[in-house]
Amino acid sequence: MIKLKTDKHEYAYFLYAITKSFFKDAEIVPPDKAVHNMLPDDEGEKEDLIECIFGDETLFKVTVNKGRILGESRAVSLPVTKGLDGESAKYEKLGFVYDFLSEYTGVSLPWGSLTGIRPTKLYLSKLIGLQNEKNGTDHPFDDDIKAVTKKYMADTFRVSEEKGELAISIAEREQGLMKSLHSDDGYSLYIGIPFCPSTCLYCSFTSYPIFKYRKIVPEYLECLKKEMAEAVKLMDGKILDTIYIGGGTPTSLSAEELDVLLSAVTDIMPLDHLKEFTVEAGRPDSITIDKLKVMKKYPVNRISVNPQTMNDKTLQAIGRAHTVAQYVDAFKLARDEGFDNINTDIILGLKGEDVSDVEYTLNRLKELNPDSLTVHSLAIKRASRLKLEMDLNGTDDFRNEFDFEKAMGLASKAASDMGMNPYYLYRQKDMGGNLENTGFARDGKYGLYNILMMEEVQSIYAVGAGTVTKRVYGNGRIERCDAVKDVKMYVDNIEDMIDRKRKLFAD
Ligand code: SF4
C-alpha cells in the first residue's frame, strides 16, 4: 500500500493516477483518504508514503518514505518557473512529479504524464489552435505546426516520440474525417443491448446472459422505441450522423427481435443524412445467417465480428464459449451476405498468451482480410470476473510477463500490411503496458461513431440500460446523464429514464 499526501487537493486525482501507473500492483491510497501520520515502524520498515508539497508556488518538493514497496527514502526540491500561471504552472509541477517517479523507478511511460482517456483530443485542440493563429484555417496542418505540437506535448507531458507521431497522425486523420460530420448541429444515436451469450472473463460492460433474460426482451424493445420517439423530439432540428447499436452483444437477440428493433429504428429515426449505421455483432456464437439477412434488410453498413484471439485454448479460458472455427465461419457468412465493412477486435495480453500467440492471431486475421482492426491492451477492470478471481487467489498481475510494446508493434504492422491506417485511440485505467486501444481501418471504412465518441464534438443520445447520454454544447461544455444498468429497473422506470434526457436537453 502506498499512501499519497499533498497540499494541493486539486492535483489529487493526477497523483493517484500517475502513482498507479508506476506501481501497478500496489494499492494506492488517494490523498484525501490517507492517514498522514506515520505508522509505527513495523518489523523495521516504515509505511510507503509519497508526499508532494507544492507550497508557496516557488518550490516543488517531493518526498518518498521507504516501506515494503518503495524500498528507499528520497527527497527532491525543484524551483518552479517564475511568472507561470494557470495550466502551464500546473503542467510544470505535474511534470516534476512524473520526472521524479520516472527517475525513482527507472521506468518511462509511453504516454508520459497524460492520464486522461482521450490524448488525441489534446493534440487536436493544440493543432487547430496553432493553425488558426497562423493562417485562419484548421486543415490540413502544416508540418511546422505538427512539429511544434509534438514538441509541446513531449516537453509538457513527456509523451514519447513514437506516441507523439501516432497521436498527430490520428488527430490529422480525424480532423479530415470530421469535415463530413456535424458538430453542435448534429448528433449520433447509441442503442444499448445489454445481453450476451455468456460473460467474458475480463468484461466490465453492462451485460447479462441472454438465456436468463429472454422473457424481458419484448418489453425492453418497447422501451427503446419510446426512448427513440423522445429522442426525435428532443433533437429536432439537428442532423443524425451515425447510429451505433452496441452492448452487450446486439446479435444476442433472435432474428425476429432484431427485425423488430431495426424496423423501429428505421421507422422512428430520421435517416436522410445518416453516414454510418453500425451493429456490433461481436460474438460469433450469436451470429446466424437469418440475423445477417435481417440486418441487410435495413441500412446497416458496418458490423463488428470479434475473435479477440485466434487461439482456441485462450478463448476457452476467457469464457468466450465459441471456437476459432466458429469465428471464421461467422466472418465468411457475413462477407457472403454482402457486408463490406467488417471490423474485428483483438486483445493483447490475454492470460496464457505471449507475443507469438498475438502474431499467430494477426496472421490468421490477415487471411480473412477485415476492413478494420481494433487492438485493445488488456485492462483489468474492477467489475470484471477476472479481477475478482485475481483478488481471491492473490494472483500476481500476469500481464507483467507480456511484452505489450512488441505486440502493439506487430499489430500496427499487420494493420499496415492490410492497407489500414490508425484513426482513433483511447486509453483506459490500468491498461496493459500503459499503452492504448487503437482503431485501424482502410480508407472509406473508418468508424465515424468512434471518432465522434473520442473527440466529443457532438451530442450522443444513448438509449437502453447502462448507457450514458452526452450533451455537447457549442462551446465544448459537456453534460451527461446515465440510465440504470439493471434491465428490470430500466424497464420499470422508463419514464424516469426519458425524463432525465428531457432535463439534459431542456432549453
Ligand atoms: S461479448 Fe463483450 S459485452 Fe459481452 S460479455 Fe464479452 S466482453 Fe462483455
Side-chain angles (χ1 to χ4, degrees), residues 335-365:
R335 273 285 191 249
D336 290 347
E337 284 306 308
F339 285 94
D340 62 1
N341 191 354
I342 307 179
N343 174 66
T344 192
D345 280 6
I346 61 165
I347 301 176
L348 309 180
L350 288 168
K351 193 169 182 194
E353 293 212 340
D354 60 22
V355 171
S356 67
D357 295 299
V358 173
E359 198 166 16
Y360 175 76
T361 291
L362 292 165
N363 287 335
R364 293 288 314 267
L365 287 180

PDB file of all heavy atoms in Angstrom, residues 335-365:
ATOM      1  N   ARG A 335     -19.450 -11.871 -44.918  1.00  0.00           N
ATOM      2  CA  ARG A 335     -18.933 -11.437 -46.229  1.00  0.00           C
ATOM      3  C   ARG A 335     -19.867 -11.913 -47.345  1.00  0.00           C
ATOM      4  O   ARG A 335     -20.233 -11.145 -48.234  1.00  0.00           O
ATOM      5  CB  ARG A 335     -17.549 -12.027 -46.468  1.00  0.00           C
ATOM      6  CG  ARG A 335     -16.423 -11.210 -45.930  1.00  0.00           C
ATOM      7  CD  ARG A 335     -16.146  -9.970 -46.810  1.00  0.00           C
ATOM      8  NE  ARG A 335     -14.900  -9.344 -46.424  1.00  0.00           N
ATOM      9  CZ  ARG A 335     -14.776  -8.167 -45.826  1.00  0.00           C
ATOM     10  NH1 ARG A 335     -15.837  -7.438 -45.534  1.00  0.00           N
ATOM     11  NH2 ARG A 335     -13.597  -7.677 -45.528  1.00  0.00           N
ATOM     12  N   ASP A 336     -20.257 -13.198 -47.249  1.00  0.00           N
ATOM     13  CA  ASP A 336     -21.117 -13.766 -48.297  1.00  0.00           C
ATOM     14  C   ASP A 336     -22.458 -13.037 -48.370  1.00  0.00           C
ATOM     15  O   ASP A 336     -23.073 -12.961 -49.423  1.00  0.00           O
ATOM     16  CB  ASP A 336     -21.383 -15.262 -48.044  1.00  0.00           C
ATOM     17  CG  ASP A 336     -20.114 -16.083 -48.271  1.00  0.00           C
ATOM     18  OD1 ASP A 336     -19.154 -15.539 -48.852  1.00  0.00           O
ATOM     19  OD2 ASP A 336     -20.081 -17.252 -47.847  1.00  0.00           O
ATOM     20  N   GLU A 337     -22.901 -12.522 -47.226  1.00  0.00           N
ATOM     21  CA  GLU A 337     -24.172 -11.792 -47.221  1.00  0.00           C
ATOM     22  C   GLU A 337     -24.003 -10.347 -47.697  1.00  0.00           C
ATOM     23  O   GLU A 337     -24.949  -9.568 -47.701  1.00  0.00           O
ATOM     24  CB  GLU A 337     -24.789 -11.807 -45.818  1.00  0.00           C
ATOM     25  CG  GLU A 337     -25.429 -13.131 -45.440  1.00  0.00           C
ATOM     26  CD  GLU A 337     -26.462 -13.621 -46.458  1.00  0.00           C
ATOM     27  OE1 GLU A 337     -27.367 -12.846 -46.793  1.00  0.00           O
ATOM     28  OE2 GLU A 337     -26.343 -14.774 -46.914  1.00  0.00           O
ATOM     29  N   GLY A 338     -22.782  -9.981 -48.040  1.00  0.00           N
ATOM     30  CA  GLY A 338     -22.570  -8.672 -48.651  1.00  0.00           C
ATOM     31  C   GLY A 338     -22.072  -7.579 -47.725  1.00  0.00           C
ATOM     32  O   GLY A 338     -22.054  -6.404 -48.096  1.00  0.00           O
ATOM     33  N   PHE A 339     -21.667  -7.937 -46.507  1.00  0.00           N
ATOM     34  CA  PHE A 339     -21.131  -6.895 -45.623  1.00  0.00           C
ATOM     35  C   PHE A 339     -19.704  -6.559 -46.061  1.00  0.00           C
ATOM     36  O   PHE A 339     -18.822  -7.423 -46.038  1.00  0.00           O
ATOM     37  CB  PHE A 339     -21.166  -7.354 -44.156  1.00  0.00           C
ATOM     38  CG  PHE A 339     -22.555  -7.321 -43.595  1.00  0.00           C
ATOM     39  CD1 PHE A 339     -23.352  -8.456 -43.604  1.00  0.00           C
ATOM     40  CD2 PHE A 339     -23.089  -6.135 -43.111  1.00  0.00           C
ATOM     41  CE1 PHE A 339     -24.643  -8.423 -43.126  1.00  0.00           C
ATOM     42  CE2 PHE A 339     -24.380  -6.087 -42.631  1.00  0.00           C
ATOM     43  CZ  PHE A 339     -25.169  -7.234 -42.639  1.00  0.00           C
ATOM     44  N   ASP A 340     -19.504  -5.320 -46.469  1.00  0.00           N
ATOM     45  CA  ASP A 340     -18.192  -4.938 -46.996  1.00  0.00           C
ATOM     46  C   ASP A 340     -17.449  -3.991 -46.055  1.00  0.00           C
ATOM     47  O   ASP A 340     -16.477  -3.359 -46.427  1.00  0.00           O
ATOM     48  CB  ASP A 340     -18.338  -4.299 -48.385  1.00  0.00           C
ATOM     49  CG  ASP A 340     -19.163  -3.035 -48.334  1.00  0.00           C
ATOM     50  OD1 ASP A 340     -19.602  -2.641 -47.225  1.00  0.00           O
ATOM     51  OD2 ASP A 340     -19.387  -2.421 -49.396  1.00  0.00           O
ATOM     52  N   ASN A 341     -17.969  -3.878 -44.832  1.00  0.00           N
ATOM     53  CA  ASN A 341     -17.248  -3.098 -43.822  1.00  0.00           C
ATOM     54  C   ASN A 341     -17.336  -3.850 -42.489  1.00  0.00           C
ATOM     55  O   ASN A 341     -18.241  -3.634 -41.690  1.00  0.00           O
ATOM     56  CB  ASN A 341     -17.835  -1.687 -43.711  1.00  0.00           C
ATOM     57  CG  ASN A 341     -16.942  -0.771 -42.880  1.00  0.00           C
ATOM     58  OD1 ASN A 341     -15.950  -1.211 -42.302  1.00  0.00           O
ATOM     59  ND2 ASN A 341     -17.298   0.505 -42.813  1.00  0.00           N
ATOM     60  N   ILE A 342     -16.396  -4.768 -42.310  1.00  0.00           N
ATOM     61  CA  ILE A 342     -16.410  -5.609 -41.089  1.00  0.00           C
ATOM     62  C   ILE A 342     -15.201  -5.265 -40.221  1.00  0.00           C
ATOM     63  O   ILE A 342     -14.062  -5.350 -40.667  1.00  0.00           O
ATOM     64  CB  ILE A 342     -16.373  -7.122 -41.431  1.00  0.00           C
ATOM     65  CG1 ILE A 342     -17.491  -7.486 -42.411  1.00  0.00           C
ATOM     66  CG2 ILE A 342     -16.491  -7.948 -40.150  1.00  0.00           C
ATOM     67  CD1 ILE A 342     -17.512  -8.971 -42.811  1.00  0.00           C
ATOM     68  N   ASN A 343     -15.498  -4.874 -38.990  1.00  0.00           N
ATOM     69  CA  ASN A 343     -14.429  -4.608 -38.017  1.00  0.00           C
ATOM     70  C   ASN A 343     -14.148  -5.892 -37.234  1.00  0.00           C
ATOM     71  O   ASN A 343     -15.022  -6.742 -37.073  1.00  0.00           O
ATOM     72  CB  ASN A 343     -14.867  -3.511 -37.049  1.00  0.00           C
ATOM     73  CG  ASN A 343     -13.855  -3.315 -35.936  1.00  0.00           C
ATOM     74  OD1 ASN A 343     -12.735  -2.879 -36.181  1.00  0.00           O
ATOM     75  ND2 ASN A 343     -14.216  -3.681 -34.719  1.00  0.00           N
ATOM     76  N   THR A 344     -12.934  -5.992 -36.732  1.00  0.00           N
ATOM     77  CA  THR A 344     -12.611  -7.133 -35.893  1.00  0.00           C
ATOM     78  C   THR A 344     -11.734  -6.657 -34.726  1.00  0.00           C
ATOM     79  O   THR A 344     -10.816  -5.873 -34.918  1.00  0.00           O
ATOM     80  CB  THR A 344     -11.977  -8.238 -36.775  1.00  0.00           C
ATOM     81  OG1 THR A 344     -11.918  -9.419 -36.055  1.00  0.00           O
ATOM     82  CG2 THR A 344     -10.630  -7.887 -37.305  1.00  0.00           C
ATOM     83  N   ASP A 345     -12.088  -7.092 -33.525  1.00  0.00           N
ATOM     84  CA  ASP A 345     -11.382  -6.657 -32.311  1.00  0.00           C
ATOM     85  C   ASP A 345     -10.436  -7.743 -31.824  1.00  0.00           C
ATOM     86  O   ASP A 345     -10.808  -8.920 -31.817  1.00  0.00           O
ATOM     87  CB  ASP A 345     -12.373  -6.473 -31.154  1.00  0.00           C
ATOM     88  CG  ASP A 345     -13.129  -5.164 -31.204  1.00  0.00           C
ATOM     89  OD1 ASP A 345     -12.996  -4.426 -32.191  1.00  0.00           O
ATOM     90  OD2 ASP A 345     -13.865  -4.891 -30.246  1.00  0.00           O
ATOM     91  N   ILE A 346      -9.257  -7.342 -31.377  1.00  0.00           N
ATOM     92  CA  ILE A 346      -8.393  -8.302 -30.675  1.00  0.00           C
ATOM     93  C   ILE A 346      -7.901  -7.674 -29.366  1.00  0.00           C
ATOM     94  O   ILE A 346      -7.935  -6.447 -29.208  1.00  0.00           O
ATOM     95  CB  ILE A 346      -7.178  -8.767 -31.514  1.00  0.00           C
ATOM     96  CG1 ILE A 346      -6.257  -7.587 -31.878  1.00  0.00           C
ATOM     97  CG2 ILE A 346      -7.621  -9.488 -32.754  1.00  0.00           C
ATOM     98  CD1 ILE A 346      -4.882  -8.044 -32.370  1.00  0.00           C
ATOM     99  N   ILE A 347      -7.482  -8.533 -28.447  1.00  0.00           N
ATOM    100  CA  ILE A 347      -6.967  -8.063 -27.153  1.00  0.00           C
ATOM    101  C   ILE A 347      -5.539  -8.572 -26.962  1.00  0.00           C
ATOM    102  O   ILE A 347      -5.277  -9.766 -27.143  1.00  0.00           O
ATOM    103  CB  ILE A 347      -7.849  -8.557 -25.983  1.00  0.00           C
ATOM    104  CG1 ILE A 347      -9.289  -8.053 -26.143  1.00  0.00           C
ATOM    105  CG2 ILE A 347      -7.283  -8.093 -24.645  1.00  0.00           C
ATOM    106  CD1 ILE A 347     -10.258  -8.569 -25.084  1.00  0.00           C
ATOM    107  N   LEU A 348      -4.666  -7.654 -26.596  1.00  0.00           N
ATOM    108  CA  LEU A 348      -3.263  -8.029 -26.306  1.00  0.00           C
ATOM    109  C   LEU A 348      -3.117  -8.291 -24.812  1.00  0.00           C
ATOM    110  O   LEU A 348      -3.666  -7.540 -24.002  1.00  0.00           O
ATOM    111  CB  LEU A 348      -2.315  -6.885 -26.688  1.00  0.00           C
ATOM    112  CG  LEU A 348      -2.439  -6.283 -28.090  1.00  0.00           C
ATOM    113  CD1 LEU A 348      -1.413  -5.165 -28.271  1.00  0.00           C
ATOM    114  CD2 LEU A 348      -2.252  -7.362 -29.139  1.00  0.00           C
ATOM    115  N   GLY A 349      -2.373  -9.336 -24.472  1.00  0.00           N
ATOM    116  CA  GLY A 349      -2.066  -9.583 -23.051  1.00  0.00           C
ATOM    117  C   GLY A 349      -3.062 -10.499 -22.367  1.00  0.00           C
ATOM    118  O   GLY A 349      -3.137 -10.503 -21.134  1.00  0.00           O
ATOM    119  N   LEU A 350      -3.823 -11.272 -23.148  1.00  0.00           N
ATOM    120  CA  LEU A 350      -4.761 -12.214 -22.520  1.00  0.00           C
ATOM    121  C   LEU A 350      -3.985 -13.269 -21.747  1.00  0.00           C
ATOM    122  O   LEU A 350      -2.872 -13.651 -22.134  1.00  0.00           O
ATOM    123  CB  LEU A 350      -5.625 -12.877 -23.595  1.00  0.00           C
ATOM    124  CG  LEU A 350      -6.684 -11.971 -24.230  1.00  0.00           C
ATOM    125  CD1 LEU A 350      -7.284 -12.634 -25.470  1.00  0.00           C
ATOM    126  CD2 LEU A 350      -7.781 -11.609 -23.237  1.00  0.00           C
ATOM    127  N   LYS A 351      -4.604 -13.758 -20.683  1.00  0.00           N
ATOM    128  CA  LYS A 351      -3.911 -14.715 -19.809  1.00  0.00           C
ATOM    129  C   LYS A 351      -3.473 -15.963 -20.589  1.00  0.00           C
ATOM    130  O   LYS A 351      -4.254 -16.522 -21.357  1.00  0.00           O
ATOM    131  CB  LYS A 351      -4.835 -15.121 -18.669  1.00  0.00           C
ATOM    132  CG  LYS A 351      -4.113 -15.823 -17.585  1.00  0.00           C
ATOM    133  CD  LYS A 351      -4.947 -15.983 -16.356  1.00  0.00           C
ATOM    134  CE  LYS A 351      -4.068 -16.669 -15.327  1.00  0.00           C
ATOM    135  NZ  LYS A 351      -4.803 -17.158 -14.225  1.00  0.00           N
ATOM    136  N   GLY A 352      -2.227 -16.335 -20.427  1.00  0.00           N
ATOM    137  CA  GLY A 352      -1.713 -17.537 -21.070  1.00  0.00           C
ATOM    138  C   GLY A 352      -1.122 -17.268 -22.449  1.00  0.00           C
ATOM    139  O   GLY A 352      -0.570 -18.166 -23.068  1.00  0.00           O
ATOM    140  N   GLU A 353      -1.241 -16.039 -22.926  1.00  0.00           N
ATOM    141  CA  GLU A 353      -0.710 -15.744 -24.268  1.00  0.00           C
ATOM    142  C   GLU A 353       0.619 -15.004 -24.166  1.00  0.00           C
ATOM    143  O   GLU A 353       0.849 -14.232 -23.227  1.00  0.00           O
ATOM    144  CB  GLU A 353      -1.701 -14.888 -25.064  1.00  0.00           C
ATOM    145  CG  GLU A 353      -2.979 -15.632 -25.396  1.00  0.00           C
ATOM    146  CD  GLU A 353      -3.594 -15.214 -26.725  1.00  0.00           C
ATOM    147  OE1 GLU A 353      -3.268 -14.127 -27.215  1.00  0.00           O
ATOM    148  OE2 GLU A 353      -4.385 -15.998 -27.275  1.00  0.00           O
ATOM    149  N   ASP A 354       1.459 -15.222 -25.171  1.00  0.00           N
ATOM    150  CA  ASP A 354       2.648 -14.387 -25.307  1.00  0.00           C
ATOM    151  C   ASP A 354       2.629 -13.757 -26.699  1.00  0.00           C
ATOM    152  O   ASP A 354       1.647 -13.908 -27.441  1.00  0.00           O
ATOM    153  CB  ASP A 354       3.941 -15.172 -25.030  1.00  0.00           C
ATOM    154  CG  ASP A 354       4.125 -16.340 -25.989  1.00  0.00           C
ATOM    155  OD1 ASP A 354       3.516 -16.301 -27.084  1.00  0.00           O
ATOM    156  OD2 ASP A 354       4.859 -17.280 -25.667  1.00  0.00           O
ATOM    157  N   VAL A 355       3.702 -13.065 -27.032  1.00  0.00           N
ATOM    158  CA  VAL A 355       3.694 -12.310 -28.285  1.00  0.00           C
ATOM    159  C   VAL A 355       3.509 -13.229 -29.497  1.00  0.00           C
ATOM    160  O   VAL A 355       2.858 -12.861 -30.481  1.00  0.00           O
ATOM    161  CB  VAL A 355       4.991 -11.474 -28.396  1.00  0.00           C
ATOM    162  CG1 VAL A 355       5.116 -10.846 -29.769  1.00  0.00           C
ATOM    163  CG2 VAL A 355       4.995 -10.372 -27.344  1.00  0.00           C
ATOM    164  N   SER A 356       4.032 -14.465 -29.401  1.00  0.00           N
ATOM    165  CA  SER A 356       3.896 -15.357 -30.560  1.00  0.00           C
ATOM    166  C   SER A 356       2.424 -15.729 -30.792  1.00  0.00           C
ATOM    167  O   SER A 356       2.001 -15.955 -31.924  1.00  0.00           O
ATOM    168  CB  SER A 356       4.763 -16.607 -30.400  1.00  0.00           C
ATOM    169  OG  SER A 356       4.266 -17.389 -29.353  1.00  0.00           O
ATOM    170  N   ASP A 357       1.625 -15.782 -29.726  1.00  0.00           N
ATOM    171  CA  ASP A 357       0.188 -16.055 -29.900  1.00  0.00           C
ATOM    172  C   ASP A 357      -0.490 -14.885 -30.621  1.00  0.00           C
ATOM    173  O   ASP A 357      -1.377 -15.091 -31.452  1.00  0.00           O
ATOM    174  CB  ASP A 357      -0.485 -16.257 -28.535  1.00  0.00           C
ATOM    175  CG  ASP A 357       0.038 -17.498 -27.835  1.00  0.00           C
ATOM    176  OD1 ASP A 357      -0.133 -18.587 -28.396  1.00  0.00           O
ATOM    177  OD2 ASP A 357       0.630 -17.360 -26.754  1.00  0.00           O
ATOM    178  N   VAL A 358      -0.059 -13.682 -30.295  1.00  0.00           N
ATOM    179  CA  VAL A 358      -0.629 -12.500 -30.960  1.00  0.00           C
ATOM    180  C   VAL A 358      -0.247 -12.513 -32.440  1.00  0.00           C
ATOM    181  O   VAL A 358      -1.068 -12.239 -33.322  1.00  0.00           O
ATOM    182  CB  VAL A 358      -0.133 -11.199 -30.282  1.00  0.00           C
ATOM    183  CG1 VAL A 358      -0.576  -9.968 -31.062  1.00  0.00           C
ATOM    184  CG2 VAL A 358      -0.627 -11.117 -28.847  1.00  0.00           C
ATOM    185  N   GLU A 359       1.005 -12.895 -32.686  1.00  0.00           N
ATOM    186  CA  GLU A 359       1.474 -12.958 -34.068  1.00  0.00           C
ATOM    187  C   GLU A 359       0.629 -13.959 -34.861  1.00  0.00           C
ATOM    188  O   GLU A 359       0.219 -13.710 -35.996  1.00  0.00           O
ATOM    189  CB  GLU A 359       2.943 -13.386 -34.063  1.00  0.00           C
ATOM    190  CG  GLU A 359       3.644 -13.087 -35.358  1.00  0.00           C
ATOM    191  CD  GLU A 359       5.160 -13.212 -35.204  1.00  0.00           C
ATOM    192  OE1 GLU A 359       5.623 -13.808 -34.204  1.00  0.00           O
ATOM    193  OE2 GLU A 359       5.858 -12.723 -36.095  1.00  0.00           O
ATOM    194  N   TYR A 360       0.351 -15.092 -34.228  1.00  0.00           N
ATOM    195  CA  TYR A 360      -0.466 -16.118 -34.884  1.00  0.00           C
ATOM    196  C   TYR A 360      -1.869 -15.557 -35.173  1.00  0.00           C
ATOM    197  O   TYR A 360      -2.401 -15.704 -36.284  1.00  0.00           O
ATOM    198  CB  TYR A 360      -0.546 -17.358 -33.967  1.00  0.00           C
ATOM    199  CG  TYR A 360      -1.469 -18.418 -34.499  1.00  0.00           C
ATOM    200  CD1 TYR A 360      -1.070 -19.238 -35.555  1.00  0.00           C
ATOM    201  CD2 TYR A 360      -2.751 -18.578 -33.966  1.00  0.00           C
ATOM    202  CE1 TYR A 360      -1.932 -20.203 -36.067  1.00  0.00           C
ATOM    203  CE2 TYR A 360      -3.614 -19.538 -34.470  1.00  0.00           C
ATOM    204  CZ  TYR A 360      -3.201 -20.346 -35.516  1.00  0.00           C
ATOM    205  OH  TYR A 360      -4.053 -21.288 -36.024  1.00  0.00           O
ATOM    206  N   THR A 361      -2.451 -14.888 -34.188  1.00  0.00           N
ATOM    207  CA  THR A 361      -3.790 -14.292 -34.365  1.00  0.00           C
ATOM    208  C   THR A 361      -3.787 -13.325 -35.545  1.00  0.00           C
ATOM    209  O   THR A 361      -4.675 -13.354 -36.405  1.00  0.00           O
ATOM    210  CB  THR A 361      -4.209 -13.553 -33.064  1.00  0.00           C
ATOM    211  OG1 THR A 361      -4.442 -14.527 -32.060  1.00  0.00           O
ATOM    212  CG2 THR A 361      -5.469 -12.722 -33.257  1.00  0.00           C
ATOM    213  N   LEU A 362      -2.771 -12.475 -35.591  1.00  0.00           N
ATOM    214  CA  LEU A 362      -2.715 -11.462 -36.661  1.00  0.00           C
ATOM    215  C   LEU A 362      -2.580 -12.138 -38.036  1.00  0.00           C
ATOM    216  O   LEU A 362      -3.230 -11.721 -39.003  1.00  0.00           O
ATOM    217  CB  LEU A 362      -1.554 -10.496 -36.405  1.00  0.00           C
ATOM    218  CG  LEU A 362      -1.732  -9.598 -35.182  1.00  0.00           C
ATOM    219  CD1 LEU A 362      -0.408  -8.949 -34.784  1.00  0.00           C
ATOM    220  CD2 LEU A 362      -2.784  -8.520 -35.448  1.00  0.00           C
ATOM    221  N   ASN A 363      -1.757 -13.176 -38.096  1.00  0.00           N
ATOM    222  CA  ASN A 363      -1.593 -13.870 -39.383  1.00  0.00           C
ATOM    223  C   ASN A 363      -2.891 -14.522 -39.842  1.00  0.00           C
ATOM    224  O   ASN A 363      -3.235 -14.483 -41.017  1.00  0.00           O
ATOM    225  CB  ASN A 363      -0.471 -14.912 -39.288  1.00  0.00           C
ATOM    226  CG  ASN A 363       0.892 -14.232 -39.244  1.00  0.00           C
ATOM    227  OD1 ASN A 363       1.041 -13.105 -39.741  1.00  0.00           O
ATOM    228  ND2 ASN A 363       1.871 -14.876 -38.658  1.00  0.00           N
ATOM    229  N   ARG A 364      -3.635 -15.104 -38.888  1.00  0.00           N
ATOM    230  CA  ARG A 364      -4.914 -15.722 -39.263  1.00  0.00           C
ATOM    231  C   ARG A 364      -5.912 -14.651 -39.720  1.00  0.00           C
ATOM    232  O   ARG A 364      -6.688 -14.854 -40.646  1.00  0.00           O
ATOM    233  CB  ARG A 364      -5.517 -16.487 -38.060  1.00  0.00           C
ATOM    234  CG  ARG A 364      -4.743 -17.710 -37.618  1.00  0.00           C
ATOM    235  CD  ARG A 364      -4.845 -18.889 -38.594  1.00  0.00           C
ATOM    236  NE  ARG A 364      -6.163 -19.202 -39.089  1.00  0.00           N
ATOM    237  CZ  ARG A 364      -7.007 -20.080 -38.556  1.00  0.00           C
ATOM    238  NH1 ARG A 364      -6.650 -20.754 -37.493  1.00  0.00           N
ATOM    239  NH2 ARG A 364      -8.189 -20.310 -39.097  1.00  0.00           N
ATOM    240  N   LEU A 365      -5.872 -13.505 -39.053  1.00  0.00           N
ATOM    241  CA  LEU A 365      -6.809 -12.435 -39.430  1.00  0.00           C
ATOM    242  C   LEU A 365      -6.493 -11.882 -40.815  1.00  0.00           C
ATOM    243  O   LEU A 365      -7.396 -11.524 -41.573  1.00  0.00           O
ATOM    244  CB  LEU A 365      -6.782 -11.296 -38.400  1.00  0.00           C
ATOM    245  CG  LEU A 365      -7.443 -11.617 -37.065  1.00  0.00           C
ATOM    246  CD1 LEU A 365      -7.369 -10.425 -36.131  1.00  0.00           C
ATOM    247  CD2 LEU A 365      -8.904 -12.029 -37.249  1.00  0.00           C
TER     248      LEU A 365
END
